[in-house]
Amino acid sequence: LDMKESLGRHTKGFSRGMRQKTALLRALAHAPDVLLLDEPTAGLDVTSARTVRSLVQQLGETGGTVVYSTHQLAEAEAVCNRIIIIHNGEVRADGTPAGLLEQTSTANLEEAYVSLTTDKARTRVVTDKPLSKIARWWQKLSTPKTPGGDESE
């Protein structure tokens, strides 16, 4: 991933792509049997994204298990040997890329996804119920700060 010169540096100030590569290296460091990757090529340049896809394929070919979560369906089609399409919390399809294309009579996974998810994505349910301490912490952690916004919200 071309990070030898950056290995000793603190990640503060790294670009999004460099932070993404650092996270991937940390995940691979202990040679896990199962690897969970969420949008692993997001923020990467073309060359680094190709390297990540190649690494994922190598891991799979050598007996490792990689759970590869992505919205990039062309990428999933190229990298994964099993695809599970989930929409509104429901498994809509589970099979090989070729099997899903055959099942949906489509030419690519994007078209297959669209044909399997014709209903609208469910809306987020808002209730008056107070959030738990953990939910408030998670909301604060995962909600981006807006310039000029009130940070106490």
Side-chain angles (χ1 to χ4, degrees):
L1 293 173
D2 194 31
M3 291 199 50
K4 285 182 183 176
E5 292 178 14
S6 302
L7 286 177
R9 288 181 46 203
H10 191 279
T11 58
K12 186 176 183 178
F14 274 9
S15 67
R16 180 178 180 196
M18 288 293 282
R19 288 191 314 266
Q20 187 79 338
K21 290 193 280 187
T22 301
L24 184 59
L25 287 173
R26 290 175 64 192
L28 292 169
H30 65 282
D33 293 328
V34 178
L35 184 62
L36 173 61
L37 299 175
D38 184 21
E39 301 289 354
T41 60
L44 297 182
D45 61 83
V46 173
T47 304
S48 295
R50 287 181 65 149
T51 300
V52 168
R53 288 192 297 270
S54 178
L55 282 168
V56 168
Q57 287 175 316
Q58 288 174 20
L59 285 168
E61 289 167 0
T62 59
T65 300
V66 180
V67 178
Y68 196 93
S69 173
T70 185
H71 290 91
Q72 304 301 322
L73 299 179
E75 186 172 292
E77 190 172 352
V79 173
C80 302
N81 59 18
R82 178 179 175 196
I83 304 286
I84 300 174
I85 293 177
I86 301 172
H87 183 68
N88 288 339
E90 177 183 302
V91 174
R92 299 291 175 96
D94 180 355
T96 65
L100 296 183
L101 299 181
E102 184 178 328
Q103 173 189 338
T104 57
S105 301
T106 55
N108 59 57
L109 276 183
E110 185 174 311
E111 290 176 12
Y113 178 87
V114 170
S115 76
L116 291 164
T117 59
T118 56
D119 55 317
K120 287 185 176 182
R122 67 175 176 226
T123 58
R124 186 174 179 178
V125 177
V126 179
T127 67
D128 292 333
K129 183 179 174 185
L131 295 174
S132 69
K133 185 176 180 178
I134 292 174
R136 285 192 314 272
W137 173 82
W138 181 254
Q139 185 179 47
K140 185 176 181 179
L141 180 70
S142 63
T143 303
K145 292 183 177 82
T146 56
D150 183 4
E151 292 190 24
S152 65
E153 292 180 345

